[in-house]
Amino acid sequence: MADELKPDELLDKIDHTPARGSWMDTSVQIRPGMYCYAAKAESVETLGLPNARAWNPLEDDWKLPENWQEILHNGLKERLEKFRTFKIFMDICVRCGACADKCHFFLGTGDPKNMPVLRAELLRSVYRNDFTHAGKILQSISGASKIAGNRPLTLDVLKEWWYYFFQCTECRRCSVFCPYGIDTAEITIIGRELLNLLGLNIDWIATPVSNCYQTGNHLGIQPHAFKDMLDFFTEDIEEITGVNVEPQFNKKGADILFITPSGDVFADPGTYTCQGYLILFKYLKDKYDLDVTWSTYASEGGNFGFFTSHETMKRLNAKMFAEAKRLGVKWILGGECGHMWRVIHQYMDTMNGPADFLEEPVNPITGTKFENAKSTKMVHICEFTADLIKHGKLELDKSRNSNISLTYHDSCNTARGMGLLEEPRYIMNNVCDNFFEMPENTIKEQTFCCGSGAGLNAGENIELRMAGGLPRANAVKYVHEKFGVTHLCCICAIDRAVFPTLMEYWVPEVDVIGIHELVGNALILPGEQKRTTDLRMEPLPGMEEEEMEDEDE
Amino acid sequence: MNFSKADFIEKLRKNREKIINQWFQAAINTYPPETARILDKSKNKFDNPVGCVTKQSLEDVWDKLFHTLGHENRKNENIEQKEINQEKIEEALDPVIRIRAVQSFSASKAVEFVFELKGIVKKIIGTSLNSSFEKKVDEISLAAFNRFMKCRENIFLLKATEAKRRVHKAFERAGLVKELTEEQLLSSNNKT
């Protein structure tokens, strides 16, 4: 027995490093908490998209059409011909790895298949196998796939596509670091489009898309309920300010049509941002006779079609120009949203334009021409408000936000997608005294995603969301500890919906707020009563005692 | 070879960096090799949050452990062993465990790295471990498990709260819950 190892020695010999194998050979493990539920059949049917049926990602049988490989092969072929960027992105990656550690999902999950290079390689390996000469030749030689990085499209590969293309928020941080400028978001976009050819969408995208197509917004809120919510805000604002800010709906001949994500109307704390818009429009009406209308038809700025397919995005987006035309407004103003702006800024004009029935946007109060919106005819509300402040057109009382210490999360789509970096900061600095930036490698072009964009803000994938939001939360935690930051400000409806939970897990002391909520608090409405609370009905700084007395009465 | 307790502690003190570095390696080696390489690369805590937070957390835990051992030694070697402060150790472990609780680790894999400390220290010091030290590592392991469970509970509570809020909002819109505020709804859950 002398040669037997003692327990301690035995323990020393155990290698805890996970077994190594090529990423190509390992099959996907779909883990609850990391994926979103499968699209409901009826939601897929609404838009006439293929293969609507009930299915479950955890089951072996995904109920695919018999010729699913052929469908995908043809789909891939069609897209390689149609989108030159996609073809280039498939060919030119040298796998240098510059993008590898830039993805929030990789950083948070530690799963190598979330490295942008490897996520793209899931699709690229099939492209090489089926569409390149080298791949075709090497197919027949055993073991050669390792050299060319090619592999056939099997069911395992398909499942891997599904799992990982729905673990990418299309935030494009990786593309900032790619020496070739490969936009991995576009690869994900095409990847998801291909999956949709087999009816493999997630429900958190498919049902909002279906709702939006039928009733005009993601939540499926009908026009009267949409109006009810804004009326409800109007009552609250009247209680706080003493001013009736009642908005206009579907008004023909108004100057400006305002469109915002429906999350602002229905999801806290976005609702307070929405109240900020109402206060601003009332102010501009009273002071400068600016005529802004809301629409119950174009009642959604967001566009989950963007996460389904180009065609679906186009169909949902069409209502913006259609409504602007019907109402005969001069131009369109858009609310605080993320992906809505990527769609407007980069796709709308060529998809559903030209909007030659609209005027080139000019701020009628300041005379500023919004050159960047010359073609789309749609202006971001932050540009609009920043311009008003710059020209001294808004009377603001900063002290109403003096109990707030702010930091700012650049939403991926507005920062990287359209370069909106300074306007939000300009507004924040004009409505609040305490503003602190997060470290530079986590903001502006390098901003870290919230971890829940691109249709991944569901409830069932909460672990994915908490992991994906880790790098962002890590930077928030830093400014909270260093500068005493109390509020994370953002200009995206998805951010506002998901950050409260993300903060609750990683930095529970930090609350979430939108820019126009801050504006709504600071803006002095003509004829307003002495305000004692902010829009959340919390006492304003210095008004705590008065509020207590009021409550006692 | 037998060391006195004072010698043992002195050796630990001298080898702090080495022990922490090897412990950190053991912790990041629980990730796939491609990931482990990256976690060890950048020292910038925003470019490499998981690597840096893990390292920092292990340093904090080590210092707390060492402090307790040193404290014990200074007082009297024969008196009953001073218990490690569970609450403080859990706090020190929180950053690393909070991360591992949302990653693909099973409960045992998530806290396994703590046990590695015994083997690492033994290898570096070159002697069998002091029983008090071993016991404290066991206590840290239990604290890690406690914290892991708290984080998991936190995640499920957040998930439930999100769902409740969503349902409540829908009911409120339909005019069905005028009397019940969101705070009441959520706090009633906490009481049960």
Side-chain angles (χ1 to χ4, degrees), chain A residues 110 282 284:
Chain A
K282 171 68 177 170
L284 298 177

Side-chain angles (χ1 to χ4, degrees), chain A residues 8 16 18 31 101 106-108 110 112 204 266 268 439 441 448 459 463 465 474 478 501 504-506, chain B residues 29 31 35 38 44-47 49-50 98 102-104 112 116 122 151-152 158-159 162 166 169 173:
Chain A
D8 276 1
H16 294 281
R31 189 163 71 88
D101 57 348
F106 168 69
L107 291 174
W204 198 258
F266 296 101
D268 291 340
N441 46 347
F448 273 118
E463 282 161 62
R465 284 174 44 200
N474 180 51
Y478 172 77
T501 304
E504 189 66 35
Y505 187 68
W506 296 107
Chain B
N29 280 343
Y31 292 91
T35 307
I38 286 176
N44 182 300
K45 63 177 174 183
F46 304 105
D47 288 337
V50 173
R98 190 163 290 275
V102 295
Q103 296 177 326
S104 58
E112 182 190 50
E116 301 277 336
K122 193 178 155 221
C151 289
R152 297 296 300 172
L158 288 172
K159 197 171 176 176
E162 265 195 2
R166 220 169 267 156
K169 200 86 197 165
R173 271 202 302 275

Side-chain angles (χ1 to χ4, degrees), chain A residues 477-499:
Chain A
K477 190 169 185 220
Y478 172 77
V479 286
H480 166 69
E481 285 168 359
K482 187 162 183 188
F483 305 114
V485 161
T486 59
H487 285 72
L488 174 60
C489 187
C490 53
I491 53 166
C492 165
I494 290 181
D495 285 340
R496 281 191 288 273
V498 301
F499 272 146

